[in-house]
Amino acid sequence: MTFVIPPVPAVTIPVAGGNGQFPVRRIYCVGRNYAAHVREMGMDPAREAPFFFSKPTDAIVVACPESHAQIAYPPATEQFHFEIELVVAIGAAGRNIPVEQANSHIWGYAVGIDMTRRDLQIAARDKGRPWELGKSFDQSAPISALHPAAEVGHPVAGAIWLQVNGNDRQRSDLNKLIWSVPEIVANLSKFFELQPGDLIFTGTPEGIGPVRSGEVMRGGIAGLTDLEVRVA
Ligand code: MN
């Protein structure tokens, strides 16, 4: 086959403790999934059905502590915000997946940050426009190494936190998710046939805020590899 322009390289995430790589297919994200974060965004944390948005696959930046990853400060924003999140990696295809079977479709888990141009997201939200300008830009999905569920199980509780230059900014617990991971997988699979390689960012707790050039974000979730990334 002759490509008329260079083909895009595969986007992959390293598997913790080995040489394997997980190929990324699509990136889905859940909005408003911790009540305290819903309130800080000025919304009502009533338990509405989950809603989703997407990021492009090549928004991924591998940001394990040893990779010394950097992301550029993106254009067109004065409010470049972090959102620490548990990331689910799908390993088996499925649609209309029952909640009780959802975990069997999950290959593993990682720590990710849903980087957001907050000013553009809020402007889009308030005008009823799509969120892409605020959410789906280059390098907007730093992620740490992926841990197989076969090794770490399916976490339902445990610390989730983010620091900027060593200072706590977000700290909560996975047990505060409004929609559990199996509920998210089941709901998303009503709208899309999930495929191996799909990622789901499951929402952020309270404490979101801005980062500036030169600052270092470090985030973690109990039992998973920390994430570390510097804003160039
Ligand atoms: Mn988010």
Side-chain angles (χ1 to χ4, degrees), residues 71-81 119 139 210-213 231-232:
I71 54 175
Y73 194 98
T77 185
E78 303 294 323
Q79 295 178 344
F80 186 36
H81 276 204
D119 38 6
Q139 302 187 312
V211 279
R212 295 173 187 82
S213 289
V231 182

Side-chain angles (χ1 to χ4, degrees), residues 117-135:
R117 292 191 282 210
R118 188 73 63 202
D119 38 6
L120 299 187
Q121 182 215 2
I122 297 293
R125 185 193 73 187
D126 290 350
K127 291 177 179 170
R129 291 179 179 168
W131 284 16
E132 271 82 355
L133 294 184
K135 289 290 195 179

Side-chain angles (χ1 to χ4, degrees), residues 213-228:
S213 289
E215 292 186 318
V216 175
M217 293 176 281
R218 188 168 182 119
I221 292 172
L224 304 180
T225 298
D226 283 2
L227 178 159
E228 187 173 297

